[in-house]
Every structure is written in C-alpha cells, then in structure tokens.
Amino acid sequence: MNEDIKEILISQEMLSNRVHEMADEINRDYKGKCVFFIGVLKGCFLFLSDLLKDVKLDTNVDFMMVSSYSGNQSSGVVRTLLDLKQSIEGKHVIVVEDIVDSGLTMSYMLKNLKTRNPKSLEICTLLNKPSCRKIKVPIKYAGFEIPEKFVVGYGLDYNELYRNLPYIGVLKESAIEKGKRYDK
Ligand code: IMP
C-alpha cells in the first residue's frame, strides 16, 4: 500500500467486480442502442476506460472538463474548461463521473447538457457521497456509496497526486501537507 494512504476503502478487486456489474447494467438497459459516453476529466479516466471495455453496445466517447475544486476544498463555482467536440442532439447520453459529492458539478453539467437536446441523459458515477449533497442530482448508476471522507486513487486526486493508485484510499494528514508542497 502507498505510504500516504491511511486506509484502503475499496480494493482493486472490489472495483473490478463492480465496474463489470455496472457495464452489464448499461448493456441491458441500452440493448440495441448507441450510447454517447461523456467522460468528466480528469477523474473519470481509469473508471471510464475499464467500464467501456465491458460495454458491448455501439458507443461514442467524448470528454468535458469542469472545475470546482482546489486541493480538497470545493469552491462552489463550476466552470467549463474543456467542452465536447461532438453534438449530442438526439443521442442517448451517459455522463461518467468519478464521484458525486456536493452535486454542484453534476447539476451544472446536467443543466448545460439538457440545452443540447439529447434523446436521454443519465449519470453514471463510480463513487457517491450522499451525506455531502448540497443539490439533488438524479444518479442512475452508482458504483459505491462512501462516507464523508476525502478519497484518492483510481483516477481521483489530491492536488493532482495519487490518480494512479489501483484502489480507492483515504489520505493520511501528513500526505495532505505533501500534496501542498508538490503544488508549489
Ligand atoms: P461535487 O461538485 O462536489 O459533486 O464534486 C465533484 C468533483 O469533485 C469530482 O468530480 C471530483 O473531481 C472532486 N471530488 C469530490 N470529492 C472528492 C474526493 O473525495 N476525492 C477527490 N476528488 C473529489
């Protein structure tokens, strides 16, 4: 285990099993349809790539990057940093996110994407922290409900560190200091 991690919350095996299950659900729900996956960068990158390997449907993939976080604090202000290159009009869209925490990011994205007239629009998130919610968001596919802890790994970062960990872990306090140093 990485020396900065206090506790492994979700192991590599648990992640792999659950991602397979989520892909199966999507395969069932969208049988015969083409699905447009929107990955929310950067946190989605490992989850989306593993999920898509098990999706047996016709797919489009595109990415958006939005920002509301600095370190481990949400600024509450969401901005689009990178937009889609393709139109989603008339498409079945699934937004793939690493974690829904306050819900501000997803609520902003849903509002924005709805104006582009997709045929359907759903959220698929690996992690869900319902106790932190500030705005209600309709989540169709959620991998794991987790407690109110700041987690890293499997795509999720702290100041751009730890995305490469193959599990979801809780950071030690000392690592939070280290993250701040690397940020300079
Ligand atoms: P929300 O807008 O508060 O729902 O937060 C969504 C975004 O915040 C996610 O896409 C993550 O990038 C980031 N985030 C929220 N909680 C965590 C966490 O525990 N670890 C790492 N990133 C997080």
Side-chain angles (χ1 to χ4, degrees):
M1 180 163 90
N2 183 294
E3 60 180 12
D4 294 337
I5 299 299
K6 184 157 58 180
E7 166 199 3
I8 294 182
L9 213 54
I10 307 170
S11 69
Q12 202 169 348
E13 191 187 355
M14 286 163 76
L15 284 168
S16 164
N17 291 340
R18 186 69 187 117
V19 173
H20 286 311
E21 284 175 5
M22 293 172 87
D24 285 346
E25 275 180 61
I26 292 172
N27 287 331
R28 269 197 308 274
D29 293 350
Y30 291 85
K31 196 171 176 202
K33 295 178 178 143
C34 179
V35 179
F36 193 115
F37 287 89
I38 300 178
V40 186
L41 293 172
K42 300 177 191 171
C44 76
F45 80 106
L46 289 180
F47 174 43
L48 181 64
S49 64
D50 284 344
L51 184 77
L52 283 188
K53 281 181 246 173
D54 284 330
V55 168
K56 308 298 179 203
L57 309 162
D58 287 340
T59 62
N60 290 160
V61 186
D62 206 343
F63 295 94
M64 284 182 80
M65 190 187 277
V66 293
S67 167
S68 70
Y69 269 70
S70 166
N72 62 353
Q73 297 295 311
S74 173
S75 66
V77 180
V78 186
R79 290 180 302 136
T80 300
L81 303 178
L82 175 78
D83 208 342
L84 300 175
K85 300 282 182 286
Q86 303 167 54
S87 164
I88 56 167
E89 190 166 354
K91 310 257 173 78
H92 292 288
V93 174
I94 300 181
V95 182
V96 179
E97 172 71 303
D98 53 354
I99 183 165
V100 179
D101 186 319
S102 67
L104 291 170
T105 307
M106 269 303 114
S107 150
Y108 167 86
M109 287 198 65
L110 287 184
K111 213 161 128 189
N112 178 308
L113 293 170
K114 268 181 196 159
T115 65
R116 307 181 195 196
N117 300 319
K119 191 161 191 177
S120 64
L121 180 60
E122 303 290 355
I123 296 173
C124 173
T125 184
L126 178 71
L127 306 177
N128 187 17
K129 273 192 211 170
S131 57
C132 296
R133 204 70 93 245
K134 290 186 183 150
I135 297 187
K136 215 174 156 196
V137 279
I139 298 177
K140 176 123 185 220
Y141 306 100
F144 299 90
E145 270 198 14
I146 63 164
E148 208 168 314
K149 291 179 176 176
F150 193 81
V151 294
V152 294
Y154 198 62
L156 289 97
D157 74 309
Y158 172 67
N159 278 344
E160 296 300 329
L161 295 171
Y162 311 107
R163 291 193 197 274
N164 58 318
L165 299 180
Y167 48 78
I168 300 288
V170 181
L171 270 188
K172 287 181 185 164
E173 289 304 314
S174 56
I176 291 181
E177 290 310 311
K178 181 175 161 187
K180 279 180 187 159
R181 278 206 303 276
Y182 281 137
D183 199 32
K184 284 177 186 158

